[in-house]
Amino acid sequence: MKKILVTGGAGFVGSHLCERLLKEGHYILCLDNYFTGDKRNIVHLLDSHFFEVVRHDVTMPFYAEVDEIYNLACPASPIHYQDNAIKTVKTSVMGAINMLGLAKRKNAKILQASTSEVYGDPKIHPQPETYWGNVNPIGQRSCYDEGKRCAETLFVNYHLQNDVRIKIIRIFNTYGPRMHPNDGRVVSNFILQALRGEDITVYGDGMQTRSFQYVDDLVEGMIRTMNTEDAFMGPVNIGNPNEFTILQLAQTVIKLIGSKSKVIHLPLPADDPLQRQPDIALAKEKLNGWEPKIQLEEGLFRTIEYFKSILRR
Ligand code: NAD
Ligand code: UDP
């Protein structure tokens, strides 16, 4: 039984990861400051003797006996990470330093949840890991993008200077049950708007693209990455390469829900990337043929069921 620390464990992705690792027979230490996380995401795990929750902020040092660390703590949606931009940078950078320090002291393996945002508004399509990106360092998204880029730098240098065993994954847009209902991300917004019969708010002309990954596929990719041989550190893209325009997403959600909602267009936020699609060749090669299994309609169906259930609460 491994003792595994999951920072950001009460969040959307973290809660699914904790659930899966617990099922695999590990001891889970779930750390969260509940900024965007919710105890309801993990309440069903609390009966297990092998699941422990700590309220803690990763910008402060943390000490525990652990074998592996998944570092997810960081607000992920534009609304939340822009709410306190300085805190977002601190969470990414000081959080990485504190968790890498812990990994160094305990000789623990550590995985960083990085992001496709390190590619910014990409000039290369699809994005391979070798692409350095096109990021505005002083824009609305920069607290998140540059924080995550600096965290990658820290990970690589803790490995080079201190032999810390690191893994970096770059996550592309992920959705599923337990997304925060008010985080403004496109999938949760469209589903809630369609369920409530409200207008569907497409920003810009809706021709910008994203590639949407269902959360179970991400969790599988994360665990496989952690279990690779030490020589493989990434960064590795984990995402679903099926690319859709935002307008297509809106139409699909309306169809699946059978909603009467109408699409309206609102201004496009600053620095909104025009297109995004992962090149997953490296993940397929290094992660035993890993590739996403759940395609958009099935994933949306499961997510819609979740949002129906929270509207009944
Ligand atoms: P989320 O907001 O649901 O989860 C983040 C969790 O971290 C929350 O529980 C929050 O309370 C916690 N947290 C935030 N700041 C903290 C701090 N200072 N100390 C301790 N805990 C803190 O977001 P998510 O979608 O689950 O994202 C998880 C990770 O995956 C993030 O690092 C995010 O950057 C990365 N990621 C997610 C996506 C996606 O599409 N969901 C895409 C790329 C990268
Ligand atoms: N978006 C939209 N309507 C919404 C929320 C988002 O059209 O109600 C668009 C947004 O402008 C972006 C895409 O959907 O082009 C994905 O936005 P999200 O915030 O989910 O993720 P990110 O931009 O970080 O990929």
Side-chain angles (χ1 to χ4, degrees):
M1 180 186 261
K2 284 188 280 197
K3 193 161 184 193
I4 302 178
L5 172 64
V6 178
T7 77
F12 157 50
V13 175
S15 63
H16 287 275
L17 179 66
C18 287
E19 188 176 307
R20 170 77 189 272
L21 290 169
L22 196 59
K23 246 185 223 150
E24 288 187 0
H26 303 295
Y27 190 103
I28 308 304
L29 197 51
C30 166
L31 179 157
D32 210 293
N33 71 349
Y34 296 112
F35 174 46
T36 51
D38 191 325
K39 207 160 179 194
R40 279 176 292 198
N41 290 339
I42 46 167
V43 73
H44 59 297
L45 307 178
L46 291 173
D47 284 342
S48 168
H49 297 306
F50 305 117
F51 184 73
E52 203 179 324
V53 192
V54 190
R55 180 188 284 265
H56 183 82
D57 194 304
V58 288
T59 58
M60 311 296 276
F62 180 72
Y63 303 94
E65 298 296 325
V66 291
D67 303 305
E68 289 179 356
I69 304 167
Y70 288 83
N71 188 37
L72 275 64
C74 185
S77 76
I79 287 183
H80 284 133
Y81 68 64
Q82 289 166 17
D83 176 62
N84 183 345
I86 296 170
K87 177 68 195 246
T88 299
V89 177
K90 284 186 181 171
T91 295
S92 274
V93 176
M94 293 164 67
I97 292 171
N98 288 326
M99 292 308 126
L100 284 160
L102 177 63
K104 179 181 157 191
R105 277 190 296 279
K106 295 294 159 200
N107 191 25
K109 232 190 303 183
I110 179 165
L111 178 144
Q112 167 68 356
S114 190
T115 167
S116 54
E117 286 283 323
V118 300
Y119 302 124
D121 191 1
K123 299 287 178 220
I124 287 184
H125 198 70
Q127 295 82 54
E129 291 83 352
T130 47
Y131 179 49
W132 291 354
N134 175 39
V135 175
N136 177 356
I138 54 166
Q140 280 183 17
R141 289 180 172 244
S142 56
C143 60
Y144 183 71
D145 300 9
E146 298 291 15
K148 289 284 188 180
R149 285 168 71 95
C150 184
E152 287 199 11
T153 308
L154 286 162
F155 267 68
V156 167
N157 285 289
Y158 266 78
H159 169 70
L160 294 173
Q161 287 178 233
N162 300 120
D163 286 328
V164 174
R165 292 176 296 151
I166 62 148
K167 312 280 178 193
I168 299 170
I169 59 166
R170 292 183 178 154
I171 304 171
F172 283 66
N173 293 64
T174 302
Y175 68 99
R178 302 193 204 126
M179 289 182 89
H180 194 299
N182 300 324
D183 73 3
R185 280 190 269 191
V186 68
V187 173
S188 42
N189 267 12
F190 286 2
I191 291 178
L192 281 169
Q193 289 162 345
L195 286 173
R196 291 171 173 147
E198 296 167 356
D199 291 338
I200 307 277
T201 54
V202 169
Y203 302 157
D205 61 6
M207 296 313 288
Q208 71 272 33
T209 70
R210 293 294 187 273
S211 306
F212 298 101
Q213 162 173 247
Y214 188 69
V215 63
D216 289 1
D217 288 325
L218 167 60
V219 166
E220 179 66 30
M222 287 177 121
I223 294 173
R224 286 197 196 192
T225 305
M226 184 63 107
N227 293 336
T228 51
E229 52 176 3
D230 287 350
F232 179 69
M233 290 169 265
V236 58
N237 291 336
I238 304 287
N240 189 324
N242 288 343
E243 187 183 8
F244 297 88
T245 66
I246 295 305
L247 213 46
Q248 282 173 324
L249 176 73
Q251 285 152 356
T252 309
V253 168
I254 289 172
K255 183 188 82 180
L256 290 178
I257 292 177
S259 171
K260 295 204 164 38
S261 293
K262 300 266 172 299
V263 168
I264 57 160
H265 291 268
L266 296 179
L268 192 66
D271 293 336
D272 199 284
L274 203 60
Q275 50 182 13
R276 194 182 279 154
Q277 184 191 31
D279 177 335
I280 60 165
L282 184 67
K284 277 188 186 167
E285 180 199 332
K286 297 290 184 183
L287 309 180
N288 298 324
W290 171 88
E291 61 183 339
K293 296 268 182 286
I294 314 269
Q295 296 312 336
L296 189 66
E297 293 210 359
E298 180 178 356
L300 284 177
F301 178 77
R302 296 186 195 184
T303 313
I304 289 165
E305 291 305 301
Y306 169 75
F307 279 109
K308 280 184 185 165
S309 78
I310 64 163
L311 286 180
R312 285 194 294 265
R313 265 182 201 163

